[in-house]
Amino acid sequence: PTTEVPLKKKVKKSLVDHTYRDYSRAALSDLIEDEREVNEELFPHKLHAILSTPEYARIIAWMPHGRAWHVTNRAAFVSIVLPTHFNHSNFE
């Protein structure tokens, strides 16, 4: 009788690290070695500044799990936040 030897499957190693990291409460200075590298005009930087402003807490805020944000008061967001931080008031 012939015995079949099971072939071992080669497992391809992933090149991407899929480890989840929660940066919702991290200060920008903790994430970047040289703060001069940050372009304050980029959307992520503006969004972080908006979400970190206590006066906007009832207008836009982090979701409880910290992985997303939500506009809670659309009218105030369009009339107060957008004109202050962007050159428009379009929110679609």
Side-chain angles (χ1 to χ4, degrees), residues 49-68:
I50 292 167
L51 288 164
S52 299
T53 304
E55 293 82 14
Y56 299 152
R58 296 192 185 274
I59 299 171
I60 182 173
W62 286 108
M63 298 293 288
H65 53 65
R67 295 184 305 264

Side-chain angles (χ1 to χ4, degrees), residues 27-41:
L28 190 58
S29 58
D30 295 339
L31 303 175
I32 299 171
E33 290 179 19
D34 186 2
E35 287 191 53
R36 292 174 293 174
E37 293 177 9
V38 176
N39 183 348
E40 293 182 8
E41 295 302 313

Side-chain angles (χ1 to χ4, degrees), residues 16-84:
V16 179
D17 180 8
H18 294 284
T19 306
Y20 174 76
R21 292 174 184 86
D22 184 5
Y23 292 111
S24 64
R25 303 202 192 284
L28 190 58
S29 58
D30 295 339
L31 303 175
I32 299 171
E33 290 179 19
D34 186 2
E35 287 191 53
R36 292 174 293 174
E37 293 177 9
V38 176
N39 183 348
E40 293 182 8
E41 295 302 313
L42 295 176
F43 177 75
H45 188 272
K46 286 183 180 183
L47 180 60
H48 187 269
I50 292 167
L51 288 164
S52 299
T53 304
E55 293 82 14
Y56 299 152
R58 296 192 185 274
I59 299 171
I60 182 173
W62 286 108
M63 298 293 288
H65 53 65
R67 295 184 305 264
W69 47 270
H70 177 68
V71 175
T72 54
N73 185 335
R74 183 184 175 111
F77 184 75
V78 170
S79 64
I80 298 169
V81 179
L82 285 182
T84 305

